[in-house]
Amino acid sequence: MQQRILIVEDDPNVALVLEDALSAEGYTTEHASDGRHAVESALARAFDLTLLDVGLPDKDGFAVCDELRRQGVQMPILLLTARTAPDDKVRGLRMGADDYVTKPFHVPELLARIQALLRRTQHTQAAILIEYRFGDVFVDFYRGRATKAGRPVELTTKELVLLRYLIARRGLVVSREELLTEVWGYHSTNTRTVDVHIATLRQKLEDHPHAPLHVLTVRGGGYQFQHAPM
Ligand code: CA
């Protein structure tokens, strides 16, 4: 699967350089030019990594980083900091960034840092999703607990693993066959099990299980997790 990188950069020239360099390496990119759109994109769609400029017009990169971590977003974040502000590094790492590169950056070095971060987190994206909040639902995957509107909801282990898999790939369509393989661990064309578990998740977590806002059916495709509109 192609790896997806979110580029958050307000300078259109720098953004273009980054997009070109990353697509030349085979990554799929999306660009956000301010903090608000960066948070929206990162919550709406799953990315493998975010390249986050610190100096942004509305909320800065630190605030974006902090907000994403608070919302339970676990993907690696690589900060682009100004060389003139050495404190940025410490502050960024405190806000949950994984690494930083100073501007003006050297493209090959940046690519090497990205590859190193992706290697470190590959295959563990779903495993490191510790908690997640959407709508009035809060899920603590670590303790296996969930609440809806502050009231406890009982989720089985299978339901938790299924939900975590969908959330880790939010915004992407996941086929029933993929869910069977990844969540249940077997290949089968009998995907009824998946449908039954999805229906139960909706009963427990959606306000209107027959008109779901988060666990969506994609006709002819499978399922897709969608974060609530902010
Ligand atoms: Ca900037």
Side-chain angles (χ1 to χ4, degrees), residues 8-11 14 33 53-57 80 103:
V8 187
E9 171 59 71
D10 59 318
D11 182 330
V14 178
S33 52
D53 182 31
V54 169
L56 294 168
L80 298 173
K103 281 178 159 183

Side-chain angles (χ1 to χ4, degrees), residues 29-58:
T29 62
E30 188 174 316
H31 174 221
S33 52
D34 61 55
R36 191 171 62 84
H37 285 105
V39 172
E40 278 178 10
S41 295
L43 291 177
R45 289 172 289 285
F47 290 93
D48 296 290
L49 183 142
T50 291
L51 212 49
L52 178 59
D53 182 31
V54 169
L56 294 168
D58 52 352

Side-chain angles (χ1 to χ4, degrees), residues 4-227:
R4 298 157 48 82
I5 296 182
L6 176 63
I7 300 167
V8 187
E9 171 59 71
D10 59 318
D11 182 330
N13 296 318
V14 178
L16 200 61
V17 168
L18 291 171
E19 281 175 317
D20 282 351
L22 291 170
S23 42
E25 290 293 310
Y27 298 109
T28 304
T29 62
E30 188 174 316
H31 174 221
S33 52
D34 61 55
R36 191 171 62 84
H37 285 105
V39 172
E40 278 178 10
S41 295
L43 291 177
R45 289 172 289 285
F47 290 93
D48 296 290
L49 183 142
T50 291
L51 212 49
L52 178 59
D53 182 31
V54 169
L56 294 168
D58 52 352
K59 52 180 82 174
D60 67 15
F62 300 125
V64 171
C65 196
D66 188 42
E67 197 169 332
L68 290 179
R69 293 307 188 217
R70 279 173 201 277
Q71 295 263 4
V73 175
Q74 303 283 325
M75 72 182 147
I77 295 176
L78 182 59
L79 282 182
L80 298 173
T81 67
R83 196 178 289 280
T84 48
D87 289 349
D88 280 7
K89 296 166 192 170
V90 178
R91 201 173 154 205
L93 297 174
R94 260 197 212 122
M95 291 292 173
D98 298 274
D99 199 2
Y100 59 86
V101 167
T102 48
K103 281 178 159 183
F105 52 83
H106 183 48
V107 171
E109 190 206 334
L110 183 69
L111 289 173
R113 296 286 188 100
I114 288 172
Q115 279 159 11
L117 269 184
L118 287 173
R119 260 200 310 276
R120 242 155 66 189
T121 52
Q122 231 171 7
H123 311 302
T124 58
Q125 283 297 300
I128 61 173
L129 185 63
I130 294 165
E131 51 183 49
Y132 201 79
R133 195 181 292 280
F134 59 95
D136 61 356
V137 174
F138 174 72
V139 191
D140 179 342
F141 290 105
Y142 185 71
R143 292 182 181 79
R145 290 184 200 145
T147 57
K148 178 165 173 61
R151 279 190 286 275
V153 176
E154 289 292 328
L155 294 178
T156 64
T157 305
K158 218 37 129 182
E159 287 162 0
L160 281 164
V161 176
L162 173 63
L163 182 63
R164 191 167 65 173
Y165 193 85
L166 288 169
I167 290 174
R169 283 156 189 77
R170 63 197 171 279
L172 306 175
V173 181
V174 183
S175 72
R176 292 174 170 81
E177 290 76 14
E178 178 179 341
L179 289 171
L180 263 187
T181 310
E182 297 296 329
V183 176
W184 278 267
Y186 58 79
H187 298 270
S188 171
T189 47
N190 183 4
T191 51
R192 175 89 188 121
T193 307
V194 177
D195 299 336
V196 170
H197 279 77
I198 292 279
T200 323
L201 272 184
R202 285 177 178 154
Q203 287 293 341
K204 292 179 177 179
L205 303 177
E206 296 275 2
D207 288 345
H208 307 288
H210 296 288
L213 290 178
H214 304 287
V215 183
L216 309 183
T217 301
V218 180
R219 207 176 282 272
Y223 294 106
Q224 180 181 40
F225 182 88
Q226 189 159 297
H227 198 94

